[in-house]
Amino acid sequence: MLIKRAEAIKPSEITDKTLYLKRREFIHSTVGMFAAASLLFTVRSRAAKTGDGNRRSLDYVKKREYSSDEPQTPYPYVSGYNNFYEFATDKESPARLAASLTVAPWSVVVEGEVARPGTYTLEDILKNRQLEERIYRLRCVERWSMVIPWIGFSLADLIKRFEPTSRARYVEFTTLYRPAEMPGQRRSVLSWPYVEGLRMDEAMHPLTILATGLYGEVLPNQNGAPLRLVVPWKYGFKSIKSIVKIRFSEHQPRTTWNRAAPREYGFYANVNPDVDHPRWSQRRERRLGEFFKRKTLMFNGYAEEVAHLYKGMDLRKYF
Ligand code: MTE
C-alpha cells in the first residue's frame, strides 16, 4: 500500500525484505517448507493458548461451495503478517499493538437507505446465525496472497434483515475510530476512519461474507475483530476490518485508499492481472509460505462466479 511519510522507500522493497526475514524464520530451503511451517504453527498455537488466553474456538459448519482446496497458509502468517494501518504501517506490529483493543461490547450502526436503521449489538447481528467456514484466497494489492479458512456468514443474509430501500445502490462500511487504542490513528497516514464500499450486487453476492473468525477460532484483533468484511475476488484492502457502521446509499461512497491515491486504488479493486498498479505489475503474486511466485488469476480465481457482475464494463477505467 502507499506509505505517505516514506516516499523514498518503495513499498515493494519493504515487502520483499519482510518476506525474506519471515521466510528465514520458517525455512532454510524450499524442501520441507510446509513441514517447518506446520511445526511453527504448533509451537505458536500452544504459546498463544497458554499465553494471552484470547484464543477461543467457534462453532461452525464447513461450506464446501466456493471453498478453495489449496493448501491453507500457515496460521502464523495469517495472524502475524497484517495490514492494519490503524495500528501501524508495517506488517508485524499490528499483532502486538492490536492485542489490547477492546472488542466487547461491540455494536454496528446501520443507516441510510434502509427501512430498519438502528444500532445493532454484535449479539443481535449473530443471533440465530449459523457460522460457516469458507476457505478463500486473499490477494493483497502488494502482490502477496494467502489461503485462509475464514469463519463467518453471508453479508446478503444480514443486509436483507435491514430491508434496504430501492434507492440503495451502494453499501459503505466504516472501521472503528478510537485513537486511544489505535495508535496509527494518531498520525495522518490515512484519513480516518477507514471507509470501504461495495456496489449493492457485490455486497449481495453469495461469496461476500462478514467474518468473525478464522482457523476455527474467534478472529484475532489484528485480523479485524470482532467483525470484518471478506470479498475474495477483490484486492485485500476492500476487506475492511473492525466494522462499526454500515451505510446504504444511492451514490458511490468515497473510500479511504481511493481518496489517498486515486490513480493507484480504484473503487472496484477487482483482482486483475491485466491492469497494472501504476508502480508495479499485478501479473504475479507470492503466496506466503511459498518460495516461487505464481500467476495472479482474473478475479483472484473467482471469475466463474463474479465476472457477470462487470459485463460490459471497461475494467481499465473501472479498476
Ligand atoms: N481495514 C482497516 N480498517 N485498516 C486497514 O489498514 N488493510 C486492508 C484490509 N482491511 C486494512 C483493512 C489491507 S491493505 C489488507 S491486504 C487486508 O486488510 C489484510 O487483512 P489481514 O491482515 O487479515 O491479512
Side-chain angles (χ1 to χ4, degrees):
M1 306 299 288
L2 178 83
I3 301 170
K4 280 185 169 173
R5 293 265 168 96
E7 272 150 15
I9 309 166
K10 286 186 195 151
S12 53
E13 288 168 5
I14 298 166
T15 303
D16 287 349
K17 180 166 174 253
T18 315
L19 276 174
Y20 169 67
L21 292 172
K22 272 263 163 200
R23 218 178 297 129
R24 276 187 32 170
E25 267 182 41
F26 277 81
I27 46 166
H28 298 290
S29 72
T30 49
V31 182
M33 182 171 60
F34 277 106
S38 68
L39 180 67
L40 186 62
F41 170 50
T42 315
V43 172
R44 291 244 190 121
S45 302
R46 253 187 239 136
K49 276 191 174 116
T50 52
D52 62 18
N54 283 338
R55 293 181 64 174
R56 273 184 298 124
S57 52
L58 280 170
D59 282 334
Y60 61 90
V61 292
K62 288 180 191 284
K63 187 94 174 181
R64 284 271 144 259
E65 201 189 359
Y66 304 128
S67 276
S68 164
D69 52 12
E70 292 169 276
Q72 294 168 23
T73 302
Y75 181 88
Y77 281 121
V78 179
S79 66
Y81 187 83
N82 304 102
N83 269 336
F84 204 167
Y85 277 46
E86 282 82 345
F87 293 97
T89 51
D90 69 279
K91 316 272 188 248
E92 283 74 26
S93 308
R96 182 173 44 85
L97 296 172
S100 52
L101 178 70
T102 311
V103 294
W106 194 269
S107 52
V108 178
V109 172
V110 175
E111 59 182 31
E113 295 293 345
V114 274
R116 304 184 60 185
T119 300
Y120 294 82
T121 63
L122 189 63
E123 291 71 30
D124 279 342
I125 289 173
L126 296 178
K127 202 169 167 192
N128 300 328
R129 217 167 276 289
Q130 173 68 69
L131 296 179
E132 297 166 3
E133 182 188 73
R134 310 268 197 115
I135 304 163
Y136 282 169
R137 292 178 284 275
L138 177 134
R139 166 54 157 92
C140 183
V141 74
E142 293 166 310
R143 295 168 292 179
W144 48 266
S145 63
M146 304 195 206
V147 177
I148 302 175
W150 299 104
I151 295 172
F153 56 90
S154 147
L155 174 63
D157 287 350
L158 182 69
I159 288 182
K160 282 179 205 150
R161 196 177 138 192
F162 305 138
E163 297 174 22
T165 71
S166 57
R167 280 195 298 276
R169 293 179 54 224
Y170 294 91
V171 195
E172 177 185 311
F173 303 86
T174 306
T175 293
L176 175 71
Y177 178 69
R178 193 183 288 157
E181 288 189 356
M182 299 174 126
Q185 289 179 334
R186 291 178 224 147
R187 298 185 300 134
S188 47
V189 226
L190 288 175
S191 60
W192 309 113
Y194 192 105
V195 172
E196 256 311 331
L198 294 174
R199 220 170 52 190
M200 200 64 179
D201 56 349
E202 298 176 324
M204 298 300 286
H205 192 282
L207 274 174
T208 307
I209 58 167
L210 285 176
T212 58
L214 48 80
Y215 265 108
E217 297 178 352
V218 168
L219 207 55
N221 289 355
Q222 62 271 27
N223 293 94
L227 193 66
R228 66 93 58 87
L229 183 69
V230 179
V231 197
W233 70 96
K234 292 178 180 278
Y235 291 117
F237 69 90
K238 296 296 284 184
S239 291
I240 181 172
K241 298 177 169 181
S242 307
I243 297 167
V244 292
K245 188 157 82 179
I246 303 179
R247 180 180 178 77
F248 294 81
S249 61
E250 200 173 350
H251 304 290
Q252 185 175 301
R254 297 217 50 205
T255 56
T256 297
W257 281 105
N258 185 246
R259 284 172 69 163
R263 282 187 58 251
E264 304 194 11
Y265 310 109
F267 174 80
Y268 283 93
N270 288 322
V271 174
N272 189 340
D274 300 331
V275 177
D276 292 347
H277 181 280
R279 289 181 283 140
W280 57 75
S281 157
Q282 292 290 19
R283 292 218 163 270
R284 301 179 76 74
E285 68 195 55
R286 192 188 304 281
R287 182 73 41 92
L288 295 191
E290 292 181 5
F291 188 76
F292 294 107
K293 285 191 178 170
R294 56 172 69 215
K295 277 188 177 170
T296 285
L297 301 176
M298 188 66 199
F299 297 114
N300 203 21
Y302 299 97
E304 205 177 301
E305 291 85 9
V306 301
H308 68 276
L309 300 177
Y310 310 102
K311 211 168 158 222
M313 281 175 72
D314 177 353
L315 297 181
R316 291 187 175 276
K317 186 171 169 204
Y318 298 102
F319 62 94

